[in-house]
Amino acid sequence: MASSADTCGPDTVHLTFKEGPGRSPEELSQLLAEFQRMYELPSRVVIRDRGVQGFACAAVDKAAGLRLDWTRPGEEGQNPGYFCAQVQGTWFEQADGDCAADLLQLLEAYGPLRPTRLDFQQTIHTQRHLTPWWIRKFERGEFRVLGRKHYEPRGRKDSSGGYPLGATLYHGSRSSERFARQYDKHLQKEEGPPRRRDEIEIKGESCRNLWDELQAELIQAEQRGIPRGASLYAFSKRSIRAFLPIRDTSRWASTELPPNWSRM
């Protein structure tokens, strides 16, 4: 599937639950703690009296990469009777594909829920195709992303036009349902071999549809006897290709794109 330098899978998941019989933030917190112990994953929960987005309270587990925010019915705060679970990139970095599939199916079974954000990433070990190379391709008009009119490179340039401290290439608006970024992962913590990361950040109706497709994919993998970790890896690859559809437009780099360029 992947080497230690080449990975692909979920990177962030945000899910909102409504309290009900046998469904509360305390119970979900205990369930997640049991899951961490079962898989021997790190856990160190800190309870806070203020959550994000106006929630009254939060349980933050930085070691695990998990977070719960909630407002109980009758408490002061936004969204009384609702709680939000966040599975962050830190968690997915510590879990293999089968473990990740287990957690995603566990959260689905704990519903009903409303997915509000779903990110996928692929990290590729490369010496040549690092982010500055991609930026130059887009600046020359040699690459385009279907459905994206704009791209935005960010980073500190040197006198020769390079990015000695790394750069990030954004596709689309951060507030849109479909947003993507590319950056050099090894520069984030200044460790490991050169590798580029491509990420998609999906919200709104696109997120809800993608979550449903993911859950259906995992169920089908079980029925067919396919390892769910392998199925999750393949689904992540397909999702990135679908939401970050990069096309080679080098043949028209010095001219205007024809109306039907995306089909040529």
Side-chain angles (χ1 to χ4, degrees):
M1 283 171 51
S3 70
S4 59
D6 298 335
T7 63
C8 186
D11 188 54
T12 297
V13 176
H14 292 186
L15 306 170
T16 300
F17 300 83
K18 184 177 182 179
E19 282 205 45
R23 204 167 53 249
S24 68
E26 288 87 351
E27 184 183 74
L28 180 56
S29 179
Q30 294 173 2
L31 193 62
L32 291 174
E34 292 174 5
F35 186 95
Q36 294 295 101
R37 288 194 294 270
M38 182 175 67
Y39 279 97
E40 298 182 347
L41 295 171
S43 180
R44 188 173 61 253
V45 179
V46 176
I47 304 296
R48 297 178 177 175
D49 59 1
R50 180 177 298 178
V52 297
Q53 299 178 343
F55 282 103
C57 301
V60 181
D61 192 335
K62 290 186 176 180
L66 297 170
R67 180 185 182 107
L68 272 175
D69 295 273
W70 68 86
T71 302
R72 302 302 304 272
E75 286 185 330
E76 292 186 5
Q78 297 290 330
N79 307 308
Y82 288 87
F83 53 103
C84 178
Q86 295 185 20
V87 187
Q88 301 164 347
T90 304
W91 190 90
F92 288 106
E93 289 175 357
Q94 301 174 95
D96 62 22
D98 289 331
C99 177
D102 272 351
L103 180 66
L104 295 174
Q105 291 187 299
L106 172 68
L107 292 169
E108 170 69 9
Y110 195 74
L113 58 84
R114 184 182 180 89
T116 57
R117 176 175 167 181
L118 183 55
D119 295 9
F120 289 100
Q121 65 82 19
Q122 65 176 2
T123 305
I124 301 172
H125 184 187
T126 177
Q127 292 285 348
R128 178 189 174 195
H129 300 152
L130 295 172
T131 305
W133 180 88
W134 287 84
I135 291 175
R136 288 192 295 271
K137 284 288 190 179
F138 277 93
E139 289 177 338
R140 294 170 184 166
E142 297 176 3
F143 280 176
R144 286 284 297 271
V145 176
L146 292 178
R148 300 288 188 278
K149 293 183 179 180
H150 305 289
Y151 66 91
E152 181 184 2
R154 289 187 184 181
R156 183 180 298 175
K157 285 188 177 182
D158 58 19
S159 58
S160 61
Y163 294 88
L165 302 178
T168 301
L169 181 58
Y170 296 100
H171 303 281
S173 168
R174 186 64 185 270
S175 60
S176 69
E177 284 193 2
R178 306 178 178 192
F179 176 69
R181 65 179 73 82
Q182 298 174 280
Y183 61 94
D184 295 333
K185 181 66 175 177
H186 61 285
L187 296 179
Q188 191 176 48
K189 296 182 180 180
E190 297 184 354
E191 60 183 23
R195 55 202 190 278
R196 188 194 75 252
R197 171 167 284 202
D198 305 320
E199 294 178 351
I200 57 171
E201 180 181 312
I202 311 302
K203 300 184 290 291
E205 183 179 0
S206 298
C207 172
R208 296 190 290 274
N209 293 337
L210 190 60
W211 175 264
D212 291 342
E213 292 171 14
L214 170 59
Q215 293 296 331
E217 183 84 5
L218 294 176
I219 292 174
Q220 290 177 11
E222 285 184 289
Q223 294 172 344
R224 296 174 182 175
I226 301 172
R228 287 170 303 145
S231 182
L232 182 58
Y233 179 88
F235 184 88
S236 303
K237 281 279 188 182
R238 293 199 306 272
S239 298
I240 291 171
R241 287 198 297 269
F243 288 98
L244 185 57
I246 299 174
R247 299 292 184 266
D248 186 342
T249 55
S250 56
R251 72 175 79 174
W252 306 292
S254 58
T255 61
E256 290 188 7
L257 291 175
N260 60 339
W261 68 271
S262 63
R263 300 190 299 274
M264 295 176 62

